[in-house]
Amino acid sequence: MPPSRMAGNGRETVLATVIDGKQVAASVIDTVKAATAALDKQSGVQAGLAVIIVGDDPASHAYVGSKSKMAKECGFKSVQHTLPVETTQEDLAALVASLNADDTIHGILVQLPLPKHLNSEPIIQSILPEKDVDGLHVVNAGKLAVGDLETGLVSCTPAGAMVFVRRTHGEDLSGLNAVVVGRSNLFGKPMAQLLLNANATVTIAHSRTKDLPSVCRSADILVAAVGRPEMVKADWVKRGATVIDVGINRIAAPEKGEGKTRLVGDVAFAEAAEVADVITPVPGGVGPMTIAMLMANTVIAAHRAAGQTPPKF
Ligand code: GUN
């Protein structure tokens, strides 16, 4: 049961349960650590993750730094390749080829975006699908589309959002309506396919959808990934729904001082929390799950390479 409390106007307002993404991510990381140690003990295989970053974008370096650090904490062999901005397409392709051929590396991640002179698509598609821990290879997209979750790898953010859905509703979503707002290859499409695979009745809505609020109101599980700050209002949310907010938008926050900013999601959190049963915050919701699922994909890939049954998340 969600906690309830009295609103300022004296009426009782039921507030949703707020999912703690950091806590769920920490539990995923605990499973990864245990599975990494068990694999090493049983097969003598240490899971290995290689992260490639090209250029000197500070935000990308911060992301990659936390990925490499978390990989070490999980007990992985963690390799970071930091390449100069003038790296050529051929140099980058050669590095991916050498990591494809390296048996001690089970996961390869090329941090995006790449500098403008590099073409990311052929690089991503040159990663061996079984080492594509970002789940961006067309083979992995295709396996998800046909419901093959046993041999494919699922991209990290939808995989993380799905952990929240499973912990709220269980494995079987039969009879539940799910609406995913957003149709990107990176998130909306794989998220919809994961929900469908779990037997939800799935609608993919987007900027061209007619009467988006009423489509959203039909959702027992509403997933927002539109990239528009606080677009999903309380009256878009069905009472009792589970709301997963995948947006990360930086907006001006003059209340914090001149020139200050803050992060908000695609959902108007405070008002939606009065209608939903379960909701994710921004920050601290889906965000922390992305790195955790990268670690999960790496330990899954290492188990498969060693012929062992991987853990489930
Ligand atoms: N840049 C920002 N997020 C990601 C991600 O999840 N994967 C890759 N490869 N690059 C990113």
Side-chain angles (χ1 to χ4, degrees):
M1 277 294 283
S4 62
R5 73 178 189 208
M6 300 300 277
N9 59 10
R11 277 186 298 133
E12 191 184 40
T13 307
V14 178
L15 288 175
T17 299
V18 180
I19 293 180
D20 183 344
K22 276 194 192 159
Q23 199 182 325
V24 180
S27 84
V28 168
I29 292 296
D30 283 346
T31 305
V32 170
K33 286 178 180 169
T36 304
L39 180 65
D40 204 345
K41 198 166 165 207
Q42 280 160 18
S43 312
V45 172
Q46 183 189 22
L49 174 65
V51 179
I52 303 173
I53 178 163
V54 187
D56 37 38
D57 176 63
S60 290
H61 272 271
Y63 281 134
V64 163
S66 11
K67 289 171 185 174
S68 297
K69 183 164 164 258
M70 184 62 85
K72 285 198 191 85
E73 273 178 46
C74 289
F76 297 173
K77 170 179 169 171
S78 170
V79 185
Q80 186 177 322
H81 292 270
T82 306
L83 305 182
V85 68
E86 55 275 4
T87 300
T88 64
Q89 188 85 19
E90 292 70 31
D91 290 342
L92 183 55
L95 175 57
V96 171
S98 77
L99 294 167
N100 277 340
D102 184 341
D103 288 343
T104 70
I105 295 297
H106 306 99
I108 303 171
L109 180 138
V110 179
Q111 184 68 19
L112 300 174
L114 288 170
K116 284 204 172 57
H117 69 280
L118 294 172
N119 187 357
S120 59
E121 201 49 29
I123 295 294
I124 299 298
Q125 301 308 328
S126 76
I127 297 171
L128 281 178
E130 55 269 34
K131 296 192 181 191
D132 167 41
V133 283
D134 244 347
L136 300 180
H137 197 286
V138 290
V139 164
N140 284 319
K143 285 184 172 180
L144 176 59
V146 298
D148 174 5
L149 299 177
E150 295 303 310
T151 74
L153 289 164
V154 179
S155 101
C156 302
T157 305
M162 203 59 198
V163 171
F164 293 156
V165 171
R166 274 199 296 276
R167 291 192 183 192
T168 305
H169 295 278
E171 298 282 332
D172 185 3
L173 308 178
S174 293
L176 295 175
N177 290 331
V179 174
V180 180
V181 191
R183 55 174 159 175
S184 68
N185 290 330
L186 272 177
F187 184 83
K189 286 180 197 168
M191 185 72 213
Q193 283 160 342
L194 287 168
L195 290 160
L196 183 61
N197 200 58
N199 303 320
T201 302
V202 182
T203 303
I204 303 179
H206 47 79
S207 56
R208 307 293 180 93
T209 297
K210 191 170 160 187
D211 199 355
L212 192 51
S214 90
V215 172
C216 290
R217 265 192 305 275
S218 72
D220 302 299
I221 299 167
L222 177 59
V223 185
V226 277
R228 284 171 169 258
E230 301 178 318
M231 183 169 101
V232 176
K233 308 294 183 202
D235 65 356
W236 296 33
V237 178
K238 179 177 179 175
R239 182 158 292 280
T242 295
V243 178
I244 311 270
D245 190 349
V246 186
I248 300 180
N249 310 286
R250 192 165 282 286
I251 63 166
E255 72 280 5
K256 286 168 66 181
E258 205 191 310
K260 298 281 188 198
T261 61
R262 65 190 173 97
L263 290 179
V264 296
D266 291 347
V267 177
F269 177 84
E271 57 179 85
E274 293 190 4
V275 185
D277 208 349
V278 175
I279 192 166
T280 65
V282 176
V286 173
M289 292 299 285
T290 301
I291 290 189
M293 298 318 289
L294 174 66
M295 303 302 135
N297 276 347
T298 304
V299 83
I300 289 170
H303 275 74
R304 288 178 183 161
Q308 299 280 338
T309 306
K312 292 217 182 299
F313 291 93

Short mmCIF file of all heavy atoms in Angstrom, two decimals, residues 96 100 110 119-129 132 135-141:
data_model
loop_
_atom_site.label_atom_id
_atom_site.label_comp_id
_atom_site.label_asym_id
_atom_site.label_seq_id
_atom_site.Cartn_x
_atom_site.Cartn_y
_atom_site.Cartn_z
N VAL A 96 38.41 -1.71 -32.37
CA VAL A 96 37.25 -2.58 -32.13
C VAL A 96 37.57 -4.01 -32.59
O VAL A 96 37.28 -4.98 -31.88
CB VAL A 96 35.98 -2.03 -32.82
CG1 VAL A 96 34.84 -3.04 -32.76
CG2 VAL A 96 35.55 -0.71 -32.18
N ASN A 100 37.40 -7.31 -30.40
CA ASN A 100 36.56 -8.45 -30.82
C ASN A 100 37.35 -9.75 -30.72
O ASN A 100 36.80 -10.79 -30.34
CB ASN A 100 36.11 -8.27 -32.27
CG ASN A 100 34.89 -7.38 -32.41
OD1 ASN A 100 34.15 -7.16 -31.46
ND2 ASN A 100 34.68 -6.84 -33.61
N VAL A 110 31.45 1.61 -27.01
CA VAL A 110 32.00 2.82 -27.63
C VAL A 110 31.13 3.98 -27.18
O VAL A 110 29.93 4.02 -27.50
CB VAL A 110 32.01 2.71 -29.17
CG1 VAL A 110 32.56 4.00 -29.79
CG2 VAL A 110 32.82 1.50 -29.63
N ASN A 119 32.03 8.22 -38.18
CA ASN A 119 30.71 7.66 -38.46
C ASN A 119 30.46 6.53 -37.45
O ASN A 119 31.10 5.48 -37.52
CB ASN A 119 30.70 7.17 -39.91
CG ASN A 119 29.33 6.73 -40.36
OD1 ASN A 119 28.37 6.73 -39.57
ND2 ASN A 119 29.23 6.33 -41.62
N SER A 120 29.54 6.77 -36.51
CA SER A 120 29.38 5.81 -35.41
C SER A 120 28.73 4.50 -35.86
O SER A 120 29.05 3.43 -35.35
CB SER A 120 28.58 6.43 -34.26
OG SER A 120 27.33 6.84 -34.71
N GLU A 121 27.82 4.57 -36.82
CA GLU A 121 27.02 3.38 -37.16
C GLU A 121 27.89 2.17 -37.59
O GLU A 121 27.74 1.08 -37.03
CB GLU A 121 25.97 3.75 -38.21
CG GLU A 121 24.79 2.81 -38.30
CD GLU A 121 24.12 2.47 -36.95
OE1 GLU A 121 24.16 3.29 -36.01
OE2 GLU A 121 23.60 1.35 -36.84
N PRO A 122 28.82 2.35 -38.58
CA PRO A 122 29.63 1.16 -38.93
C PRO A 122 30.50 0.67 -37.78
O PRO A 122 30.78 -0.53 -37.69
CB PRO A 122 30.50 1.64 -40.11
CG PRO A 122 30.33 3.11 -40.20
CD PRO A 122 29.09 3.50 -39.46
N ILE A 123 30.89 1.57 -36.89
CA ILE A 123 31.70 1.16 -35.73
C ILE A 123 30.86 0.28 -34.80
O ILE A 123 31.26 -0.82 -34.40
CB ILE A 123 32.24 2.41 -34.97
CG1 ILE A 123 33.21 3.21 -35.85
CG2 ILE A 123 32.87 2.01 -33.63
CD1 ILE A 123 34.50 2.52 -36.20
N ILE A 124 29.65 0.77 -34.48
CA ILE A 124 28.76 0.00 -33.58
C ILE A 124 28.44 -1.37 -34.21
O ILE A 124 28.45 -2.40 -33.53
CB ILE A 124 27.45 0.78 -33.32
CG1 ILE A 124 27.73 2.13 -32.62
CG2 ILE A 124 26.43 -0.04 -32.53
CD1 ILE A 124 28.37 2.05 -31.28
N GLN A 125 28.17 -1.36 -35.51
CA GLN A 125 27.79 -2.62 -36.17
C GLN A 125 28.98 -3.56 -36.35
O GLN A 125 28.79 -4.73 -36.71
CB GLN A 125 27.10 -2.34 -37.52
CG GLN A 125 25.84 -1.49 -37.43
CD GLN A 125 24.81 -2.00 -36.42
OE1 GLN A 125 24.70 -3.21 -36.21
NE2 GLN A 125 24.11 -1.08 -35.79
N SER A 126 30.21 -3.05 -36.13
CA SER A 126 31.38 -3.92 -36.25
C SER A 126 31.70 -4.64 -34.94
O SER A 126 32.54 -5.55 -34.91
CB SER A 126 32.60 -3.12 -36.72
OG SER A 126 33.13 -2.34 -35.65
N ILE A 127 31.04 -4.22 -33.84
CA ILE A 127 31.24 -4.92 -32.56
C ILE A 127 30.58 -6.30 -32.68
O ILE A 127 29.45 -6.40 -33.19
CB ILE A 127 30.61 -4.11 -31.40
CG1 ILE A 127 31.30 -2.74 -31.26
CG2 ILE A 127 30.66 -4.89 -30.09
CD1 ILE A 127 30.60 -1.80 -30.27
N LEU A 128 31.24 -7.35 -32.22
CA LEU A 128 30.61 -8.67 -32.24
C LEU A 128 29.31 -8.59 -31.43
O LEU A 128 29.33 -8.10 -30.29
CB LEU A 128 31.51 -9.72 -31.59
CG LEU A 128 32.66 -10.29 -32.42
CD1 LEU A 128 33.45 -11.29 -31.55
CD2 LEU A 128 32.15 -10.98 -33.67
N PRO A 129 28.18 -9.07 -31.96
CA PRO A 129 26.92 -8.96 -31.23
C PRO A 129 27.00 -9.53 -29.81
O PRO A 129 26.42 -8.97 -28.88
CB PRO A 129 25.93 -9.76 -32.09
CG PRO A 129 26.51 -9.72 -33.46
CD PRO A 129 28.01 -9.65 -33.30
N ASP A 132 28.35 -6.88 -27.58
CA ASP A 132 27.68 -5.57 -27.69
C ASP A 132 26.84 -5.31 -26.44
O ASP A 132 25.61 -5.41 -26.45
CB ASP A 132 26.82 -5.59 -28.97
CG ASP A 132 25.84 -4.44 -29.04
OD1 ASP A 132 26.23 -3.31 -28.68
OD2 ASP A 132 24.68 -4.69 -29.45
N GLY A 135 23.79 -3.15 -26.43
CA GLY A 135 22.58 -3.64 -27.10
C GLY A 135 22.21 -2.84 -28.33
O GLY A 135 21.03 -2.75 -28.69
N LEU A 136 23.20 -2.27 -29.02
CA LEU A 136 22.90 -1.39 -30.16
C LEU A 136 23.07 -2.08 -31.51
O LEU A 136 22.68 -1.52 -32.54
CB LEU A 136 23.82 -0.14 -30.12
CG LEU A 136 23.69 0.73 -28.86
CD1 LEU A 136 24.65 1.92 -28.93
CD2 LEU A 136 22.26 1.23 -28.70
N HIS A 137 23.66 -3.27 -31.53
CA HIS A 137 23.87 -3.98 -32.80
C HIS A 137 22.52 -4.44 -33.35
O HIS A 137 21.63 -4.83 -32.59
CB HIS A 137 24.78 -5.19 -32.56
CG HIS A 137 25.37 -5.73 -33.81
ND1 HIS A 137 24.64 -6.45 -34.72
CD2 HIS A 137 26.62 -5.64 -34.33
CE1 HIS A 137 25.42 -6.78 -35.75
NE2 HIS A 137 26.62 -6.31 -35.53
N VAL A 138 22.39 -4.41 -34.69
CA VAL A 138 21.10 -4.81 -35.29
C VAL A 138 20.76 -6.27 -34.96
O VAL A 138 19.58 -6.62 -34.88
CB VAL A 138 21.05 -4.60 -36.83
CG1 VAL A 138 21.02 -3.12 -37.17
CG2 VAL A 138 22.18 -5.29 -37.54
N VAL A 139 21.76 -7.10 -34.76
CA VAL A 139 21.48 -8.50 -34.38
C VAL A 139 20.78 -8.53 -33.01
O VAL A 139 19.81 -9.28 -32.80
CB VAL A 139 22.78 -9.34 -34.38
CG1 VAL A 139 22.57 -10.66 -33.64
CG2 VAL A 139 23.23 -9.60 -35.81
N ASN A 140 21.25 -7.72 -32.08
CA ASN A 140 20.61 -7.68 -30.76
C ASN A 140 19.23 -7.03 -30.83
O ASN A 140 18.29 -7.48 -30.16
CB ASN A 140 21.52 -6.99 -29.75
CG ASN A 140 22.66 -7.90 -29.32
OD1 ASN A 140 22.45 -9.10 -29.10
ND2 ASN A 140 23.87 -7.36 -29.24
N ALA A 141 19.09 -5.98 -31.65
CA ALA A 141 17.77 -5.37 -31.84
C ALA A 141 16.82 -6.40 -32.45
O ALA A 141 15.65 -6.51 -32.03
CB ALA A 141 17.87 -4.14 -32.74
#
